[in-house]
Amino acid sequence: MLFPFILITTWQLLVQSGYISQLLFPTPYVIAESFLDLILSGELWIQFRISLIRVVLGFLLGGGVGLALGLLVGMYRPTEKLLDPTLQMIRMIPSLAVIPLFILWFGIGEESKLLLIAKTAFFPIYINTFNGIRNVDNKLFEVTRVLGFTRKKQLTKCILPAAVPHMMLGVRLSLGLSWLGLVVAELIASTSGIGYMMSDARQFGDTPVVFVGILMFAGAGLSSDWIVRLVEYRLLRWKGTRSR
């Protein structure tokens, strides 16, 4: 905690001394006051709950489809030849480029936001699931054939456990990108959520609220990553080492 303490203290002193504009960089004390006011008024929880629901639904949609297609493409080479080139082409399209289309097709309602988050969450899980399956040691397949495993048992007892580290990495990346997708969706076309709260505060020059929104996104992203790492550690206890 030493470095954050030094950083915050220096920030506070520089603003108070007039070296930094308080309009652009309000002091940590002023930001803390705004944070407390938003909590007491209940607005912060209302907006954060809306954003959290969007992230969870978008992540489940994009991550679920990514996991299914990653398994399908990883297990069967004909499917890879059929689907992977098209999916890789779509992956190269920036999320900002599809926002006008999403708004045109689905309006500024929840559908466009959820689909934008789902798009950002899809590819990390898809790619890491695909790589995890393809990187399974061939010796494991030989052992399963000697033991007479069925295809289903081979999948559940060999392939999936061996691919879990890659898949969990994909989940961590997808969650992080889901929060980024949420920020883009709420800043551009939204009437609720943390991103909307930040955009509204920016229009009225309420910089402390913008910083509160940034801290909320950072804290939510860090917390979700910590939860995934905890799940990853429990799933990989059989390896005998802690995930780092």
Side-chain angles (χ1 to χ4, degrees):
M1 297 299 292
L2 180 62
F3 180 72
F5 175 77
I6 294 174
L7 183 64
I8 292 174
T9 303
T10 304
W11 180 1
Q12 180 79 27
L13 293 175
L14 288 175
V15 175
Q16 287 183 342
S17 302
Y19 292 103
I20 300 178
S21 171
Q22 187 165 350
L23 179 63
L24 300 178
F25 286 93
T27 64
Y29 180 78
V30 173
I31 295 173
E33 281 188 328
S34 296
F35 184 76
L36 183 60
D37 291 340
L38 289 170
I39 291 178
L40 294 177
S41 66
E43 181 182 358
L44 187 63
W45 166 243
I46 293 174
Q47 303 295 354
F48 178 72
R49 182 178 59 185
I50 294 172
S51 296
L52 181 62
I53 292 173
R54 287 171 178 162
V55 166
V56 171
L57 293 179
F59 169 75
L60 291 177
L61 176 61
V65 176
L67 178 63
L69 287 180
L71 291 171
L72 191 63
V73 172
M75 291 288 295
Y76 304 102
R77 291 195 180 274
T79 310
E80 177 188 0
K81 294 179 180 179
L82 177 66
L83 297 179
D84 190 64
T86 303
L87 292 175
Q88 294 300 332
M89 181 182 66
I90 296 174
R91 182 171 69 91
M92 297 303 171
I93 302 175
S95 296
L96 287 174
V98 300
I99 288 179
L101 278 178
F102 281 9
I103 294 176
L104 180 64
W105 291 341
F106 306 105
I108 62 172
E110 294 301 310
E111 293 85 358
S112 59
K113 300 178 185 61
L114 293 181
L115 289 175
L116 182 63
I117 297 170
K119 178 186 179 299
T120 59
F122 171 85
F123 289 102
I125 292 185
Y126 166 74
I127 292 173
N128 281 277
T129 301
F130 169 77
N131 288 334
I133 292 174
R134 288 300 172 86
N135 289 326
V136 175
D137 194 341
N138 286 329
K139 294 179 180 178
L140 294 178
F141 287 100
E142 294 175 4
V143 171
T144 58
R145 282 193 289 268
V146 171
L147 295 176
F149 279 15
T150 62
R151 189 63 172 175
K152 179 180 179 182
K153 196 172 183 181
Q154 188 183 60
L155 176 65
T156 57
K157 299 296 184 180
C158 171
I159 298 175
L160 287 181
V164 163
H166 289 82
M167 294 164 63
M168 294 307 298
L169 175 61
V171 170
R172 290 179 62 185
L173 294 174
S174 288
L175 268 177
L177 290 176
S178 294
W179 286 106
L180 293 178
L182 173 74
V183 173
V184 173
E186 290 187 342
L187 285 177
I188 293 178
S190 182
T191 57
S192 59
I194 296 295
Y196 168 76
M197 183 185 74
M198 294 171 60
S199 179
D200 189 58
R202 176 185 57 82
Q203 293 180 8
F204 290 97
D206 195 353
T207 312
V209 175
V210 177
F211 275 91
V212 171
I214 293 173
L215 293 175
M216 288 297 297
F217 280 126
L222 185 63
S223 299
S224 60
D225 185 72
W226 179 82
I227 293 173
V228 174
R229 293 185 67 180
L230 180 62
V231 173
E232 180 183 14
Y233 168 66
R234 292 185 178 276
L235 289 176
L236 299 179
R237 282 185 297 180
W238 56 271
K239 296 181 65 176
T241 56
R242 179 180 291 272
S243 175
R244 295 183 180 181

PDB file of all heavy atoms in Angstrom, residues 50 54 98-117 182 184-193 196:
ATOM      1  N   ILE A  50     -27.420  -1.748 -12.532  1.00  0.00           N
ATOM      2  CA  ILE A  50     -27.787  -1.829 -13.954  1.00  0.00           C
ATOM      3  C   ILE A  50     -26.588  -2.256 -14.787  1.00  0.00           C
ATOM      4  O   ILE A  50     -26.680  -3.138 -15.649  1.00  0.00           O
ATOM      5  CB  ILE A  50     -28.326  -0.471 -14.432  1.00  0.00           C
ATOM      6  CG1 ILE A  50     -29.640  -0.144 -13.721  1.00  0.00           C
ATOM      7  CG2 ILE A  50     -28.526  -0.471 -15.946  1.00  0.00           C
ATOM      8  CD1 ILE A  50     -30.158   1.255 -13.983  1.00  0.00           C
ATOM      9  N   ARG A  54     -25.908  -5.883 -16.924  1.00  0.00           N
ATOM     10  CA  ARG A  54     -25.531  -5.874 -18.341  1.00  0.00           C
ATOM     11  C   ARG A  54     -24.262  -6.684 -18.582  1.00  0.00           C
ATOM     12  O   ARG A  54     -24.179  -7.463 -19.537  1.00  0.00           O
ATOM     13  CB  ARG A  54     -25.331  -4.437 -18.810  1.00  0.00           C
ATOM     14  CG  ARG A  54     -26.618  -3.648 -18.970  1.00  0.00           C
ATOM     15  CD  ARG A  54     -26.344  -2.184 -19.215  1.00  0.00           C
ATOM     16  NE  ARG A  54     -27.588  -1.435 -19.412  1.00  0.00           N
ATOM     17  CZ  ARG A  54     -27.670  -0.119 -19.305  1.00  0.00           C
ATOM     18  NH1 ARG A  54     -26.589   0.597 -19.019  1.00  0.00           N
ATOM     19  NH2 ARG A  54     -28.834   0.496 -19.498  1.00  0.00           N
ATOM     20  N   VAL A  98     -18.912  -1.386 -35.055  1.00  0.00           N
ATOM     21  CA  VAL A  98     -20.222  -2.030 -35.185  1.00  0.00           C
ATOM     22  C   VAL A  98     -21.295  -1.337 -34.353  1.00  0.00           C
ATOM     23  O   VAL A  98     -22.476  -1.694 -34.464  1.00  0.00           O
ATOM     24  CB  VAL A  98     -20.139  -3.523 -34.782  1.00  0.00           C
ATOM     25  CG1 VAL A  98     -19.167  -4.259 -35.664  1.00  0.00           C
ATOM     26  CG2 VAL A  98     -19.756  -3.681 -33.313  1.00  0.00           C
ATOM     27  N   ILE A  99     -20.906  -0.365 -33.547  1.00  0.00           N
ATOM     28  CA  ILE A  99     -21.900   0.317 -32.711  1.00  0.00           C
ATOM     29  C   ILE A  99     -22.985   0.986 -33.558  1.00  0.00           C
ATOM     30  O   ILE A  99     -24.182   0.850 -33.252  1.00  0.00           O
ATOM     31  CB  ILE A  99     -21.212   1.333 -31.779  1.00  0.00           C
ATOM     32  CG1 ILE A  99     -20.455   0.592 -30.678  1.00  0.00           C
ATOM     33  CG2 ILE A  99     -22.236   2.273 -31.148  1.00  0.00           C
ATOM     34  CD1 ILE A  99     -19.720   1.496 -29.729  1.00  0.00           C
ATOM     35  N   PRO A 100     -22.635   1.719 -34.629  1.00  0.00           N
ATOM     36  CA  PRO A 100     -23.722   2.316 -35.435  1.00  0.00           C
ATOM     37  C   PRO A 100     -24.695   1.283 -35.991  1.00  0.00           C
ATOM     38  O   PRO A 100     -25.904   1.523 -36.026  1.00  0.00           O
ATOM     39  CB  PRO A 100     -22.954   3.026 -36.560  1.00  0.00           C
ATOM     40  CG  PRO A 100     -21.606   3.307 -35.994  1.00  0.00           C
ATOM     41  CD  PRO A 100     -21.306   2.140 -35.102  1.00  0.00           C
ATOM     42  N   LEU A 101     -24.164   0.120 -36.396  1.00  0.00           N
ATOM     43  CA  LEU A 101     -25.042  -0.930 -36.907  1.00  0.00           C
ATOM     44  C   LEU A 101     -25.937  -1.487 -35.812  1.00  0.00           C
ATOM     45  O   LEU A 101     -27.138  -1.713 -36.018  1.00  0.00           O
ATOM     46  CB  LEU A 101     -24.218  -2.054 -37.525  1.00  0.00           C
ATOM     47  CG  LEU A 101     -23.722  -1.845 -38.954  1.00  0.00           C
ATOM     48  CD1 LEU A 101     -22.882  -3.029 -39.405  1.00  0.00           C
ATOM     49  CD2 LEU A 101     -24.895  -1.635 -39.902  1.00  0.00           C
ATOM     50  N   PHE A 102     -25.364  -1.724 -34.646  1.00  0.00           N
ATOM     51  CA  PHE A 102     -26.154  -2.256 -33.541  1.00  0.00           C
ATOM     52  C   PHE A 102     -27.266  -1.291 -33.151  1.00  0.00           C
ATOM     53  O   PHE A 102     -28.392  -1.704 -32.861  1.00  0.00           O
ATOM     54  CB  PHE A 102     -25.252  -2.536 -32.341  1.00  0.00           C
ATOM     55  CG  PHE A 102     -24.472  -3.822 -32.460  1.00  0.00           C
ATOM     56  CD1 PHE A 102     -24.456  -4.538 -33.627  1.00  0.00           C
ATOM     57  CD2 PHE A 102     -23.749  -4.316 -31.378  1.00  0.00           C
ATOM     58  CE1 PHE A 102     -23.748  -5.720 -33.751  1.00  0.00           C
ATOM     59  CE2 PHE A 102     -23.036  -5.502 -31.473  1.00  0.00           C
ATOM     60  CZ  PHE A 102     -23.034  -6.195 -32.672  1.00  0.00           C
ATOM     61  N   ILE A 103     -26.940   0.002 -33.130  1.00  0.00           N
ATOM     62  CA  ILE A 103     -27.958   0.999 -32.786  1.00  0.00           C
ATOM     63  C   ILE A 103     -29.032   1.050 -33.871  1.00  0.00           C
ATOM     64  O   ILE A 103     -30.227   1.170 -33.587  1.00  0.00           O
ATOM     65  CB  ILE A 103     -27.310   2.382 -32.591  1.00  0.00           C
ATOM     66  CG1 ILE A 103     -26.384   2.362 -31.359  1.00  0.00           C
ATOM     67  CG2 ILE A 103     -28.370   3.462 -32.428  1.00  0.00           C
ATOM     68  CD1 ILE A 103     -25.637   3.658 -31.141  1.00  0.00           C
ATOM     69  N   LEU A 104     -28.607   0.940 -35.142  1.00  0.00           N
ATOM     70  CA  LEU A 104     -29.566   0.956 -36.250  1.00  0.00           C
ATOM     71  C   LEU A 104     -30.477  -0.255 -36.209  1.00  0.00           C
ATOM     72  O   LEU A 104     -31.693  -0.154 -36.440  1.00  0.00           O
ATOM     73  CB  LEU A 104     -28.805   1.008 -37.574  1.00  0.00           C
ATOM     74  CG  LEU A 104     -29.648   1.029 -38.856  1.00  0.00           C
ATOM     75  CD1 LEU A 104     -30.494   2.301 -38.920  1.00  0.00           C
ATOM     76  CD2 LEU A 104     -28.757   0.912 -40.078  1.00  0.00           C
ATOM     77  N   TRP A 105     -29.902  -1.433 -35.901  1.00  0.00           N
ATOM     78  CA  TRP A 105     -30.675  -2.669 -35.899  1.00  0.00           C
ATOM     79  C   TRP A 105     -31.533  -2.836 -34.648  1.00  0.00           C
ATOM     80  O   TRP A 105     -32.680  -3.275 -34.720  1.00  0.00           O
ATOM     81  CB  TRP A 105     -29.742  -3.865 -36.026  1.00  0.00           C
ATOM     82  CG  TRP A 105     -29.072  -3.982 -37.357  1.00  0.00           C
ATOM     83  CD1 TRP A 105     -29.448  -3.397 -38.534  1.00  0.00           C
ATOM     84  CD2 TRP A 105     -27.885  -4.735 -37.650  1.00  0.00           C
ATOM     85  NE1 TRP A 105     -28.571  -3.734 -39.541  1.00  0.00           N
ATOM     86  CE2 TRP A 105     -27.607  -4.557 -39.038  1.00  0.00           C
ATOM     87  CE3 TRP A 105     -27.028  -5.527 -36.898  1.00  0.00           C
ATOM     88  CZ2 TRP A 105     -26.511  -5.145 -39.661  1.00  0.00           C
ATOM     89  CZ3 TRP A 105     -25.942  -6.118 -37.520  1.00  0.00           C
ATOM     90  CH2 TRP A 105     -25.687  -5.925 -38.891  1.00  0.00           C
ATOM     91  N   PHE A 106     -30.945  -2.508 -33.487  1.00  0.00           N
ATOM     92  CA  PHE A 106     -31.608  -2.833 -32.217  1.00  0.00           C
ATOM     93  C   PHE A 106     -31.977  -1.606 -31.388  1.00  0.00           C
ATOM     94  O   PHE A 106     -32.529  -1.752 -30.293  1.00  0.00           O
ATOM     95  CB  PHE A 106     -30.687  -3.728 -31.369  1.00  0.00           C
ATOM     96  CG  PHE A 106     -30.219  -4.965 -32.095  1.00  0.00           C
ATOM     97  CD1 PHE A 106     -28.920  -5.050 -32.576  1.00  0.00           C
ATOM     98  CD2 PHE A 106     -31.072  -6.029 -32.307  1.00  0.00           C
ATOM     99  CE1 PHE A 106     -28.468  -6.177 -33.245  1.00  0.00           C
ATOM    100  CE2 PHE A 106     -30.639  -7.164 -32.974  1.00  0.00           C
ATOM    101  CZ  PHE A 106     -29.335  -7.234 -33.452  1.00  0.00           C
ATOM    102  N   GLY A 107     -31.672  -0.394 -31.889  1.00  0.00           N
ATOM    103  CA  GLY A 107     -31.982   0.808 -31.137  1.00  0.00           C
ATOM    104  C   GLY A 107     -30.993   1.031 -30.009  1.00  0.00           C
ATOM    105  O   GLY A 107     -29.929   0.415 -29.943  1.00  0.00           O
ATOM    106  N   ILE A 108     -31.341   1.934 -29.086  1.00  0.00           N
ATOM    107  CA  ILE A 108     -30.461   2.234 -27.958  1.00  0.00           C
ATOM    108  C   ILE A 108     -30.917   1.511 -26.692  1.00  0.00           C
ATOM    109  O   ILE A 108     -30.532   1.887 -25.580  1.00  0.00           O
ATOM    110  CB  ILE A 108     -30.380   3.758 -27.706  1.00  0.00           C
ATOM    111  CG1 ILE A 108     -31.770   4.317 -27.352  1.00  0.00           C
ATOM    112  CG2 ILE A 108     -29.777   4.474 -28.901  1.00  0.00           C
ATOM    113  CD1 ILE A 108     -31.737   5.758 -26.901  1.00  0.00           C
ATOM    114  N   GLY A 109     -31.727   0.475 -26.870  1.00  0.00           N
ATOM    115  CA  GLY A 109     -32.201  -0.309 -25.731  1.00  0.00           C
ATOM    116  C   GLY A 109     -31.140  -1.284 -25.234  1.00  0.00           C
ATOM    117  O   GLY A 109     -29.955  -1.203 -25.592  1.00  0.00           O
ATOM    118  N   GLU A 110     -31.568  -2.240 -24.458  1.00  0.00           N
ATOM    119  CA  GLU A 110     -30.642  -3.177 -23.841  1.00  0.00           C
ATOM    120  C   GLU A 110     -30.041  -4.152 -24.848  1.00  0.00           C
ATOM    121  O   GLU A 110     -28.922  -4.627 -24.654  1.00  0.00           O
ATOM    122  CB  GLU A 110     -31.366  -3.963 -22.735  1.00  0.00           C
ATOM    123  CG  GLU A 110     -31.801  -3.113 -21.551  1.00  0.00           C
ATOM    124  CD  GLU A 110     -30.623  -2.417 -20.893  1.00  0.00           C
ATOM    125  OE1 GLU A 110     -29.623  -3.095 -20.588  1.00  0.00           O
ATOM    126  OE2 GLU A 110     -30.693  -1.197 -20.699  1.00  0.00           O
ATOM    127  N   GLU A 111     -30.769  -4.449 -25.923  1.00  0.00           N
ATOM    128  CA  GLU A 111     -30.275  -5.452 -26.872  1.00  0.00           C
ATOM    129  C   GLU A 111     -28.930  -5.058 -27.467  1.00  0.00           C
ATOM    130  O   GLU A 111     -28.006  -5.877 -27.530  1.00  0.00           O
ATOM    131  CB  GLU A 111     -31.298  -5.675 -27.992  1.00  0.00           C
ATOM    132  CG  GLU A 111     -32.598  -6.326 -27.563  1.00  0.00           C
ATOM    133  CD  GLU A 111     -33.589  -5.315 -27.031  1.00  0.00           C
ATOM    134  OE1 GLU A 111     -33.224  -4.100 -26.959  1.00  0.00           O
ATOM    135  OE2 GLU A 111     -34.721  -5.709 -26.688  1.00  0.00           O
ATOM    136  N   SER A 112     -28.812  -3.818 -27.909  1.00  0.00           N
ATOM    137  CA  SER A 112     -27.566  -3.382 -28.533  1.00  0.00           C
ATOM    138  C   SER A 112     -26.409  -3.410 -27.544  1.00  0.00           C
ATOM    139  O   SER A 112     -25.282  -3.786 -27.890  1.00  0.00           O
ATOM    140  CB  SER A 112     -27.725  -1.974 -29.117  1.00  0.00           C
ATOM    141  OG  SER A 112     -28.094  -1.042 -28.113  1.00  0.00           O
ATOM    142  N   LYS A 113     -26.659  -3.051 -26.301  1.00  0.00           N
ATOM    143  CA  LYS A 113     -25.591  -3.055 -25.281  1.00  0.00           C
ATOM    144  C   LYS A 113     -25.158  -4.478 -24.967  1.00  0.00           C
ATOM    145  O   LYS A 113     -23.951  -4.770 -24.868  1.00  0.00           O
ATOM    146  CB  LYS A 113     -26.077  -2.351 -24.016  1.00  0.00           C
ATOM    147  CG  LYS A 113     -26.470  -0.897 -24.214  1.00  0.00           C
ATOM    148  CD  LYS A 113     -26.990  -0.302 -22.928  1.00  0.00           C
ATOM    149  CE  LYS A 113     -27.504   1.106 -23.155  1.00  0.00           C
ATOM    150  NZ  LYS A 113     -28.605   1.181 -24.114  1.00  0.00           N
ATOM    151  N   LEU A 114     -26.122  -5.367 -24.788  1.00  0.00           N
ATOM    152  CA  LEU A 114     -25.788  -6.755 -24.462  1.00  0.00           C
ATOM    153  C   LEU A 114     -25.012  -7.418 -25.596  1.00  0.00           C
ATOM    154  O   LEU A 114     -24.056  -8.160 -25.355  1.00  0.00           O
ATOM    155  CB  LEU A 114     -27.062  -7.542 -24.156  1.00  0.00           C
ATOM    156  CG  LEU A 114     -27.831  -7.145 -22.893  1.00  0.00           C
ATOM    157  CD1 LEU A 114     -29.059  -8.022 -22.721  1.00  0.00           C
ATOM    158  CD2 LEU A 114     -26.940  -7.245 -21.661  1.00  0.00           C
ATOM    159  N   LEU A 115     -25.401  -7.147 -26.832  1.00  0.00           N
ATOM    160  CA  LEU A 115     -24.713  -7.751 -27.965  1.00  0.00           C
ATOM    161  C   LEU A 115     -23.305  -7.194 -28.122  1.00  0.00           C
ATOM    162  O   LEU A 115     -22.380  -7.925 -28.513  1.00  0.00           O
ATOM    163  CB  LEU A 115     -25.514  -7.522 -29.246  1.00  0.00           C
ATOM    164  CG  LEU A 115     -26.814  -8.321 -29.353  1.00  0.00           C
ATOM    165  CD1 LEU A 115     -27.591  -7.928 -30.603  1.00  0.00           C
ATOM    166  CD2 LEU A 115     -26.532  -9.821 -29.359  1.00  0.00           C
ATOM    167  N   LEU A 116     -23.118  -5.920 -27.820  1.00  0.00           N
ATOM    168  CA  LEU A 116     -21.773  -5.344 -27.885  1.00  0.00           C
ATOM    169  C   LEU A 116     -20.868  -5.968 -26.831  1.00  0.00           C
ATOM    170  O   LEU A 116     -19.706  -6.312 -27.108  1.00  0.00           O
ATOM    171  CB  LEU A 116     -21.848  -3.828 -27.689  1.00  0.00           C
ATOM    172  CG  LEU A 116     -20.524  -3.077 -27.780  1.00  0.00           C
ATOM    173  CD1 LEU A 116     -19.926  -3.220 -29.174  1.00  0.00           C
ATOM    174  CD2 LEU A 116     -20.720  -1.600 -27.434  1.00  0.00           C
ATOM    175  N   ILE A 117     -21.391  -6.135 -25.620  1.00  0.00           N
ATOM    176  CA  ILE A 117     -20.609  -6.790 -24.560  1.00  0.00           C
ATOM    177  C   ILE A 117     -20.340  -8.244 -24.927  1.00  0.00           C
ATOM    178  O   ILE A 117     -19.232  -8.761 -24.715  1.00  0.00           O
ATOM    179  CB  ILE A 117     -21.354  -6.689 -23.215  1.00  0.00           C
ATOM    180  CG1 ILE A 117     -21.500  -5.222 -22.792  1.00  0.00           C
ATOM    181  CG2 ILE A 117     -20.630  -7.474 -22.133  1.00  0.00           C
ATOM    182  CD1 ILE A 117     -22.423  -5.015 -21.619  1.00  0.00           C
ATOM    183  N   LEU A 182     -18.797  -2.626 -21.844  1.00  0.00           N
ATOM    184  CA  LEU A 182     -19.858  -1.910 -21.135  1.00  0.00           C
ATOM    185  C   LEU A 182     -19.599  -0.408 -21.139  1.00  0.00           C
ATOM    186  O   LEU A 182     -20.512   0.390 -21.355  1.00  0.00           O
ATOM    187  CB  LEU A 182     -19.953  -2.426 -19.699  1.00  0.00           C
ATOM    188  CG  LEU A 182     -20.918  -1.656 -18.795  1.00  0.00           C
ATOM    189  CD1 LEU A 182     -22.358  -1.988 -19.163  1.00  0.00           C
ATOM    190  CD2 LEU A 182     -20.660  -1.967 -17.328  1.00  0.00           C
ATOM    191  N   VAL A 184     -17.913   1.361 -23.303  1.00  0.00           N
ATOM    192  CA  VAL A 184     -18.175   1.892 -24.645  1.00  0.00           C
ATOM    193  C   VAL A 184     -19.674   2.016 -24.891  1.00  0.00           C
ATOM    194  O   VAL A 184     -20.168   3.040 -25.383  1.00  0.00           O
ATOM    195  CB  VAL A 184     -17.527   0.976 -25.710  1.00  0.00           C
ATOM    196  CG1 VAL A 184     -17.927   1.426 -27.102  1.00  0.00           C
ATOM    197  CG2 VAL A 184     -16.015   0.993 -25.567  1.00  0.00           C
ATOM    198  N   ALA A 185     -20.425   0.968 -24.537  1.00  0.00           N
ATOM    199  CA  ALA A 185     -21.867   0.967 -24.784  1.00  0.00           C
ATOM    200  C   ALA A 185     -22.576   2.061 -23.994  1.00  0.00           C
ATOM    201  O   ALA A 185     -23.451   2.756 -24.523  1.00  0.00           O
ATOM    202  CB  ALA A 185     -22.447  -0.402 -24.433  1.00  0.00           C
ATOM    203  N   GLU A 186     -22.210   2.232 -22.721  1.00  0.00           N
ATOM    204  CA  GLU A 186     -22.922   3.181 -21.873  1.00  0.00           C
ATOM    205  C   GLU A 186     -22.498   4.623 -22.134  1.00  0.00           C
ATOM    206  O   GLU A 186     -23.290   5.547 -21.913  1.00  0.00           O
ATOM    207  CB  GLU A 186     -22.712   2.828 -20.401  1.00  0.00           C
ATOM    208  CG  GLU A 186     -23.417   1.548 -19.990  1.00  0.00           C
ATOM    209  CD  GLU A 186     -23.348   1.289 -18.504  1.00  0.00           C
ATOM    210  OE1 GLU A 186     -22.484   1.900 -17.821  1.00  0.00           O
ATOM    211  OE2 GLU A 186     -24.130   0.472 -17.999  1.00  0.00           O
ATOM    212  N   LEU A 187     -21.282   4.832 -22.572  1.00  0.00           N
ATOM    213  CA  LEU A 187     -20.844   6.199 -22.853  1.00  0.00           C
ATOM    214  C   LEU A 187     -21.449   6.727 -24.150  1.00  0.00           C
ATOM    215  O   LEU A 187     -21.674   7.926 -24.295  1.00  0.00           O
ATOM    216  CB  LEU A 187     -19.316   6.266 -22.933  1.00  0.00           C
ATOM    217  CG  LEU A 187     -18.558   6.198 -21.607  1.00  0.00           C
ATOM    218  CD1 LEU A 187     -17.065   6.208 -21.845  1.00  0.00           C
ATOM    219  CD2 LEU A 187     -18.939   7.374 -20.705  1.00  0.00           C
ATOM    220  N   ILE A 188     -21.704   5.829 -25.100  1.00  0.00           N
ATOM    221  CA  ILE A 188     -22.171   6.270 -26.411  1.00  0.00           C
ATOM    222  C   ILE A 188     -23.691   6.297 -26.505  1.00  0.00           C
ATOM    223  O   ILE A 188     -24.279   7.249 -27.007  1.00  0.00           O
ATOM    224  CB  ILE A 188     -21.579   5.367 -27.513  1.00  0.00           C
ATOM    225  CG1 ILE A 188     -20.057   5.581 -27.575  1.00  0.00           C
ATOM    226  CG2 ILE A 188     -22.211   5.646 -28.870  1.00  0.00           C
ATOM    227  CD1 ILE A 188     -19.362   4.719 -28.591  1.00  0.00           C
ATOM    228  N   ALA A 189     -24.348   5.280 -26.035  1.00  0.00           N
ATOM    229  CA  ALA A 189     -25.808   5.194 -26.202  1.00  0.00           C
ATOM    230  C   ALA A 189     -26.426   4.546 -24.977  1.00  0.00           C
ATOM    231  O   ALA A 189     -26.587   3.324 -24.941  1.00  0.00           O
ATOM    232  CB  ALA A 189     -26.157   4.409 -27.456  1.00  0.00           C
ATOM    233  N   SER A 190     -26.744   5.357 -23.981  1.00  0.00           N
ATOM    234  CA  SER A 190     -27.358   4.798 -22.779  1.00  0.00           C
ATOM    235  C   SER A 190     -28.061   5.901 -22.005  1.00  0.00           C
ATOM    236  O   SER A 190     -27.722   7.086 -22.112  1.00  0.00           O
ATOM    237  CB  SER A 190     -26.289   4.148 -21.896  1.00  0.00           C
ATOM    238  OG  SER A 190     -26.884   3.568 -20.751  1.00  0.00           O
ATOM    239  N   THR A 191     -29.051   5.491 -21.235  1.00  0.00           N
ATOM    240  CA  THR A 191     -29.748   6.432 -20.347  1.00  0.00           C
ATOM    241  C   THR A 191     -29.663   5.977 -18.901  1.00  0.00           C
ATOM    242  O   THR A 191     -30.380   6.492 -18.048  1.00  0.00           O
ATOM    243  CB  THR A 191     -31.231   6.560 -20.765  1.00  0.00           C
ATOM    244  OG1 THR A 191     -31.834   5.255 -20.738  1.00  0.00           O
ATOM    245  CG2 THR A 191     -31.356   7.146 -22.153  1.00  0.00           C
ATOM    246  N   SER A 192     -28.802   4.998 -18.634  1.00  0.00           N
ATOM    247  CA  SER A 192     -28.632   4.507 -17.266  1.00  0.00           C
ATOM    248  C   SER A 192     -27.307   3.761 -17.192  1.00  0.00           C
ATOM    249  O   SER A 192     -26.701   3.423 -18.210  1.00  0.00           O
ATOM    250  CB  SER A 192     -29.789   3.577 -16.859  1.00  0.00           C
ATOM    251  OG  SER A 192     -29.864   2.465 -17.742  1.00  0.00           O
ATOM    252  N   GLY A 193     -26.857   3.506 -15.964  1.00  0.00           N
ATOM    253  CA  GLY A 193     -25.603   2.802 -15.760  1.00  0.00           C
ATOM    254  C   GLY A 193     -24.481   3.736 -15.344  1.00  0.00           C
ATOM    255  O   GLY A 193     -24.604   4.966 -15.399  1.00  0.00           O
ATOM    256  N   TYR A 196     -23.251   6.002 -18.196  1.00  0.00           N
ATOM    257  CA  TYR A 196     -24.152   7.133 -18.402  1.00  0.00           C
ATOM    258  C   TYR A 196     -23.964   8.175 -17.305  1.00  0.00           C
ATOM    259  O   TYR A 196     -23.971   9.384 -17.580  1.00  0.00           O
ATOM    260  CB  TYR A 196     -25.599   6.651 -18.421  1.00  0.00           C
ATOM    261  CG  TYR A 196     -26.608   7.770 -18.343  1.00  0.00           C
ATOM    262  CD1 TYR A 196     -26.878   8.562 -19.458  1.00  0.00           C
ATOM    263  CD2 TYR A 196     -27.272   8.050 -17.148  1.00  0.00           C
ATOM    264  CE1 TYR A 196     -27.796   9.604 -19.384  1.00  0.00           C
ATOM    265  CE2 TYR A 196     -28.192   9.084 -17.067  1.00  0.00           C
ATOM    266  CZ  TYR A 196     -28.453   9.862 -18.184  1.00  0.00           C
ATOM    267  OH  TYR A 196     -29.339  10.888 -18.101  1.00  0.00           O
TER     268      TYR A 196
END
